[in-house]
Amino acid sequence: MDIDVVLISGRRPTLLQQTLDSFSDRVLRHFRVRNVHANVDPYGGTDADGDDCARIIRDALPKAQIRRPAQPNLCRAVQSCWLQTGDLPVLHLEDDWLCLIDITPEMIGPLLTPGVGSIHFHHGHRTAPEREFLTQRKKYHLWLFKVYRAYPAFGTSPRILGPGFAHNCAARMNPRLDPEKQVYQRRNRRLTRYTDQFRTRGLYAPGGTPVMVDIGRDWQRENNVKKVVRRGVSHWVPRDPE
């Protein structure tokens, strides 16, 4: 299977190296990689760390076109890379995950049916095991009642995106808002009108165990930072003392 690859990274070379070692061994070697679009934001390290990250990416993915903006902006990082993708499935990666199982075209192909926009790699967070299609609920107040409506789930953790889906999402994103939260919080109607037409399938390891594990949360704790979202905008702030 031919794929494009997108990689969203900060300046955290140790995490990035672990991520690329893991996904290269477990995933990338099973596919034909056509194009690679990477973004290294000035977050989490020094200029020298950013240089190291660019080198690590080129060593693992020699075809990579690497964007290195002067200011960090998560949504613009995602948007700029996704806009470069076309009519191939896209493997979207972030710099702080480990893949725990082999993922092959034989596993992905049957899941990319018409109407499926993304294949979510189960990581035991916000996801009930063995659900074929993933949704997220939004609460509305109707007079004295609370009404819940389910929408197709959307995310930017590592996953496979259907042909054209990444590009068309990026064309509708608001770069001032978190790329996930502008959908989850229904803050970008132009984008949600598009994503609501598609479904997200879950990819699970045998027995519903995680397909991948988040190593970024440990890094945040070790460096005393956390991500908060205010009015749809992401901020990284000092963590409260425990």
Side-chain angles (χ1 to χ4, degrees):
M1 179 184 291
D2 293 350
I3 60 170
D4 286 346
V5 174
V6 163
L7 172 60
I8 306 302
S9 178
R11 298 191 299 198
R12 305 180 294 182
T14 300
L15 292 184
L16 177 62
Q17 185 71 68
Q18 293 178 71
T19 296
L20 284 177
D21 285 348
S22 171
F23 277 87
S24 294
D25 180 58
R26 293 289 198 175
V27 186
L28 292 172
R29 68 185 180 90
H30 299 298
F31 294 82
R32 291 186 298 272
V33 176
R34 294 301 189 193
N35 305 288
V36 180
H37 306 284
N39 186 98
V40 179
D41 260 9
Y43 162 76
T46 64
D47 288 343
D49 291 327
D51 294 339
D52 286 343
C53 287
R55 174 188 54 78
I56 290 168
I57 293 169
R58 291 193 181 96
D59 286 346
L61 300 163
K63 298 180 181 180
Q65 300 179 36
I66 303 175
R67 177 178 180 266
R68 296 183 64 180
Q71 299 295 327
N73 182 316
L74 176 59
C75 186
R76 199 173 293 279
V78 172
Q79 184 182 43
S80 63
C81 289
W82 283 18
L83 280 172
Q84 304 305 311
T85 63
D87 58 358
L88 292 177
V90 175
L91 172 63
H92 171 85
L93 297 176
E94 294 177 333
D95 66 346
D96 51 4
W97 296 85
L98 297 181
C99 190
L100 304 178
I101 68 168
D102 278 47
I103 299 174
T104 67
E106 291 75 21
M107 298 166 65
I108 296 301
L111 301 181
L112 274 180
T113 55
V116 172
S118 70
I119 299 172
H120 169 271
F121 299 162
H122 173 52
H123 52 91
H125 178 58
R126 305 180 188 167
T127 305
E130 304 298 353
R131 287 169 52 197
E132 181 181 7
F133 294 106
L134 307 182
T135 59
Q136 55 99 8
R137 294 201 308 166
K138 175 71 173 176
K139 180 174 66 175
Y140 298 93
H141 291 276
L142 183 63
W143 296 101
L144 299 177
F145 302 96
K146 295 179 182 179
V147 179
Y148 293 88
R149 182 175 175 184
Y151 297 97
F154 173 91
T156 55
S157 59
R159 65 191 57 226
I160 295 286
L161 303 169
F165 183 76
H167 180 93
N168 291 330
C169 284
R172 295 164 171 81
M173 284 181 177
N174 180 344
R176 295 187 298 273
L177 301 177
D178 183 276
E180 288 187 340
K181 300 305 183 289
Q182 60 187 280
V183 175
Y184 277 127
Q185 298 178 359
R186 314 297 292 178
R187 292 181 176 273
N188 182 338
R189 292 186 63 186
R190 183 166 177 252
L191 177 56
T192 57
R193 279 196 297 265
Y194 177 73
T195 58
D196 285 352
Q197 301 175 59
F198 295 87
R199 306 178 85 177
T200 292
R201 266 201 167 105
L203 178 67
Y204 302 94
T209 57
V211 170
M212 62 182 187
V213 61
D214 184 347
I215 56 175
R217 293 173 184 270
D218 289 340
W219 183 91
Q220 290 183 18
R221 283 191 289 270
E222 292 166 2
N223 289 272
N224 195 39
V225 296
K226 66 178 180 180
K227 178 182 176 181
V228 298
V229 181
R230 303 188 183 107
R231 297 184 181 275
V233 180
S234 298
H235 304 273
W236 279 264
V237 301
R239 183 180 295 272
D240 296 330
E242 295 183 359

